[in-house]
Amino acid sequence: MLTARRRVVATAVILAGSLLLTSCGDADSGSGGGDGKTLRLWHYEAPNSAMGVAWTEAIKEFEAKHPGVKVKFEEKSFEQIQKTAPMVLNSSDAPDLMEYNKGNATAGLLSKQGLLTDLTAEAGKRGWDDKLSDGVRTTSVYDENGVMGSGKWYGVPNYAEYTMVFYNKDLFEEHGIEEPTTLGELTAAMDEFVDAGVTPLANAGAEYIAHQYLYQLALSQADRAWVDAYELYEGETDFHDAAWTYAAETFADWVDKGYIAKTSSGTKAEAAGVSFLQGDAPILFSGSWWYGRFQEEAGFDWGTFLWPGSDLTLGSGGNLWVVPKSAENKELAYDFIDITLTKRIQNLLGNNGGVPVAADAEAITDPQSKKLIEDFNTLSGRDGLAFYPDWPVTGYYDVLVSETQKLITGSASPDEYLDALQEAYDKGVPKR
């Protein structure tokens, strides 16, 4: 069974971080034969996101502490790195350090393929294991099959993340709607918006947002054992069980009722976020990665709340800093990771709408940021972080996108949708 050390639990994830297991194992050593004068860095965070703000400052600090060394930052999109990382890391074009998605199907797969540097010794030597709580550490370590939760360190997050309901307070007030506290109140609010000619939910069928709505619906009917079976193969996963069936049928019903636009089947996540920012959609269910941007760009009063009626939601430690096996300046990469975990950078991240993993509690002064962290502590305190639906098997992200698009357009029934997920999942689950 999954132990408490491997679950996303402790409330100390944010501000103190409980001690982890002492690191052991063989890490890849050496700088990779680089010139020691350039750190090639890839990430896909928006410049005004909490991570983007913090990492821009980390680059300045890194260059100040390394005279004569320059950071060559190349901005990539999430989709670009998601789709091309295995090919790039098998070539001479690999960066020294890159942000990469965590989970079995992504970082786990690359570790299994031998494309990532084993960071176990560095985690112990540099104290990363002391700064990250057990829950955050879950997605940093992978076994020989690329399954998260145990084994060697292949990535280091410097933030955590979770999903929530973002809502436009001004639009709610304009339509005389109170903040929902139950799922019934949320659906009643959406009915009122539809009656007023407003599509309530910002959605992106061409990327992750649509299938995250559906996974949240399933989580509202699930428990930790259900999550462990699906994500960590600690039991059988039946896509026609009560949770998945409720999710698929409810999602399809929401499309029929006009809560979700059928035209959103081809929409990208950026467009969904912008529709919320522009005041076109009163509600967006998505992740804390939007928080800093909304703080800076929203021209209206907005708020957040956890998905009502559910103890579980999507979330985990943040995306990982990974060092490619073929990186030429590994020591510089390790130094940069160190800087992103310093109190100054962590506090900056926390005050710009991020969820830091090693900040000072008293240093987080922004009221909205405090709310963000308080809700995260609520989730982690009840073991409420349930990872993401695309993690279990390689290629599952594309399956979820394409099949959920069919639900939106009505070209597949809920039963057909669940059949397709079951088939792809069963083919991809590794033999244990």
Side-chain angles (χ1 to χ4, degrees):
M1 294 297 293
L2 187 66
T3 65
R5 296 198 64 82
R6 290 170 60 197
R7 288 183 179 169
V8 181
V9 285
T11 56
V13 157
I14 299 299
L15 301 173
S18 59
L19 296 182
L20 303 175
L21 295 174
T22 302
S23 293
C24 59
D26 296 313
D28 298 304
S29 59
S31 63
D35 61 9
K37 298 296 183 182
T38 304
L39 174 68
R40 292 185 62 211
L41 169 66
W42 292 1
H43 74 69
Y44 43 77
E45 304 297 340
N48 59 353
S49 69
M51 286 70 72
V53 169
W55 297 349
T56 296
E57 188 62 26
I59 288 172
K60 294 178 183 176
E61 184 172 326
F62 176 89
E63 290 183 340
K65 290 182 174 180
H66 297 76
V69 177
K70 292 295 181 182
V71 176
K72 184 181 179 182
F73 166 58
E74 297 180 40
E75 184 176 357
K76 307 290 182 181
S77 71
F78 175 88
E79 290 286 314
Q80 187 178 11
I81 292 181
Q82 176 94 352
K83 293 182 181 300
T84 65
M87 178 178 64
V88 170
L89 298 189
N90 254 325
S91 74
S92 59
D93 292 329
D96 299 306
L97 181 65
M98 63 183 280
E99 179 186 13
Y100 197 61
N101 199 13
K102 64 279 179 198
N104 302 342
T106 46
L109 176 63
L110 295 190
S111 70
K112 182 180 177 181
Q113 292 174 335
L115 297 176
L116 301 181
T117 300
D118 175 4
L119 303 174
T120 308
E122 291 296 325
K125 182 173 72 174
R126 293 172 179 262
W128 301 336
D129 53 356
D130 288 344
K131 289 186 176 182
L132 302 182
S133 73
D134 294 343
V136 172
R137 175 185 178 273
T138 299
T139 56
S140 293
V141 294
Y142 296 86
D143 66 17
E144 64 277 6
N145 295 311
V147 178
M148 64 184 178
S150 65
K152 297 178 180 179
W153 284 69
Y154 286 101
V156 182
N158 71 335
Y159 67 100
E161 61 185 34
Y162 68 100
T163 52
M164 68 204 78
V165 179
F166 295 89
Y167 73 107
N168 184 323
K169 289 185 175 182
D170 289 351
L171 276 178
F172 269 65
E173 183 177 352
E174 179 184 329
H175 289 269
I177 302 172
E178 298 292 326
E179 175 186 328
T181 58
T182 67
L183 184 60
E185 291 177 359
L186 177 60
T187 54
M190 293 193 291
D191 282 330
E192 292 193 47
F193 280 119
V194 169
D195 289 343
V198 177
T199 301
L201 297 178
N203 184 50
E207 291 184 350
Y208 61 87
I209 289 179
H211 61 246
Q212 290 189 358
Y213 275 111
L214 196 141
Y215 187 55
Q216 178 58 67
L217 288 167
L219 290 174
S220 71
Q221 308 298 307
D223 58 18
R224 175 54 58 182
W226 184 94
V227 174
D228 292 348
Y230 176 64
E231 298 280 0
L232 298 169
Y233 325 130
E234 301 211 351
E236 296 297 320
T237 291
D238 176 8
F239 283 87
H240 287 278
D241 67 10
W244 281 112
T245 300
Y246 167 82
E249 291 180 349
T250 301
F251 186 89
D253 182 55
W254 283 10
V255 173
D256 289 341
K257 288 180 175 178
Y259 300 170
I260 295 170
K262 289 188 176 181
T263 55
S264 68
S265 63
T267 302
K268 299 277 190 171
E270 171 67 12
V274 169
S275 73
F276 179 77
L277 274 172
Q278 292 179 340
D280 297 328
I283 301 168
L284 169 67
F285 174 72
S286 196
S288 50
W289 48 88
W290 292 102
Y291 213 89
R293 182 175 176 184
F294 289 172
Q295 283 180 312
E296 180 172 321
E297 295 184 21
F300 52 84
D301 191 15
W302 59 276
T304 64
F305 54 89
L306 298 175
W307 189 271
S310 179
D311 287 336
L312 298 168
T313 197
L314 299 81
S316 69
N319 288 325
L320 304 172
W321 289 126
V322 299
V323 179
K325 184 82 169 184
S326 58
E328 295 184 345
N329 292 288
K330 293 183 180 181
E331 288 296 327
L332 295 180
Y334 306 152
D335 289 348
F336 187 84
I337 294 171
D338 268 347
I339 289 173
T340 66
L341 287 169
T342 60
K343 293 291 186 186
R344 191 175 79 83
I345 299 301
Q346 287 287 294
N347 294 344
L348 181 64
L349 191 153
N351 276 311
N352 280 277
V355 186
V357 295
D360 291 319
E362 63 274 12
I364 308 303
T365 57
D366 176 76
Q368 282 185 314
S369 296
K370 282 183 176 291
K371 172 70 161 54
L372 176 73
I373 293 170
E374 286 170 1
D375 281 349
F376 186 88
N377 281 337
T378 296
L379 284 170
S380 58
R382 68 189 187 204
D383 194 15
L385 298 176
F387 310 126
Y388 294 86
D390 57 300
W391 283 11
V393 298
T394 304
Y396 213 51
Y397 178 87
D398 292 335
V399 172
L400 286 166
V401 169
S402 63
E403 296 301 328
T404 307
Q405 284 178 315
K406 294 175 185 177
L407 267 189
I408 297 171
T409 62
S411 60
S413 68
D415 271 349
E416 291 169 332
Y417 173 79
L418 296 173
D419 284 343
L421 295 195
Q422 185 81 64
E423 181 180 2
Y425 181 88
D426 289 346
K427 285 181 179 178
V429 171
K431 303 302 180 185
R432 302 283 284 174

